[in-house]
Amino acid sequence: MARFTVSSEVGAPATKVWDALVDWPRHGDWVPLTRVWVTTDRADGVGAEFVGRTGLGPVAFDDPMRVVRWEPPDGDKRGLCEVVKVGRVLHGRAWFSVTPLPGGRCQVVWDEDVTVTPVRVTRFGAPLLSLVGKAGFVMMLRAMAREVEGK
């Protein structure tokens, strides 16, 4: 499996950051060459499903996901969202937490644990996949932070 964790402190309240992160189509604004759409009636809560399509034209793949844990931040309580990847190419889990900090700030931690089909791609390419994934999510969190911080 390819696994990585990224963390970022954001200068915005946890509830505002949570709202941005669970607005699934907005991820396409922060992740290059990616478009995201919701495939269920509701985009929020356990059972919500969405698809991220990454790539250009015929060189692209879908990453369908289902929300399996949904605990928004409340007061000083950490929020946690977990999704399972249910596609033909990517399998595994991803989760993020949003922890309120003093001064209207918060800490975001994003964790991915992914297998790529065919499995031999992950077995031999896991270090590279982890490195690329981590770099991509660092950029995504920075872009999201700039947006919610109003910079």
Side-chain angles (χ1 to χ4, degrees):
M1 288 190 178
R3 180 155 193 198
F4 62 87
T5 301
V6 295
S7 178
S8 179
E9 192 171 306
V10 181
T15 53
K16 184 175 183 180
V17 171
W18 172 272
D19 289 345
L21 288 173
V22 299
D23 183 349
W24 309 118
R26 283 173 76 182
H27 286 236
D29 295 340
W30 310 319
V31 181
L33 305 175
T34 299
R35 184 172 63 95
V36 181
W37 64 94
V38 175
T39 58
T40 51
D41 290 339
R42 291 185 53 167
D44 62 335
V46 171
E49 296 182 4
F50 55 97
V51 176
R53 181 165 183 80
T54 301
L56 286 172
V59 184
F61 66 92
D62 288 343
D63 183 10
M65 292 168 261
R66 179 181 311 114
V67 177
V68 295
R69 190 167 180 186
W70 182 273
E71 300 170 9
D74 184 19
D76 62 353
K77 180 181 148 259
R78 172 184 82 148
L80 181 65
C81 181
E82 182 178 359
V83 301
V84 292
K85 295 174 174 283
V86 295
R88 294 183 307 139
V89 176
L90 296 178
H91 313 278
R93 294 184 173 274
W95 64 265
F96 66 84
S97 65
V98 181
T99 304
L101 299 174
R105 302 178 62 76
C106 66
Q107 181 76 31
V108 177
V109 176
W110 192 290
D111 188 85
E112 295 261 346
D113 194 352
V114 179
T115 299
V116 179
T117 302
V119 174
R120 68 180 172 273
V121 171
T122 304
R123 186 169 46 244
F124 298 113
L128 179 60
L129 292 170
S130 294
L131 184 65
V132 170
K134 186 172 186 170
F137 275 86
V138 164
M139 291 186 335
M140 186 273 286
L141 287 178
R142 285 182 183 156
M144 180 275 305
R146 281 192 303 273
E147 181 181 311
V148 298
E149 292 171 348
K151 294 181 180 177

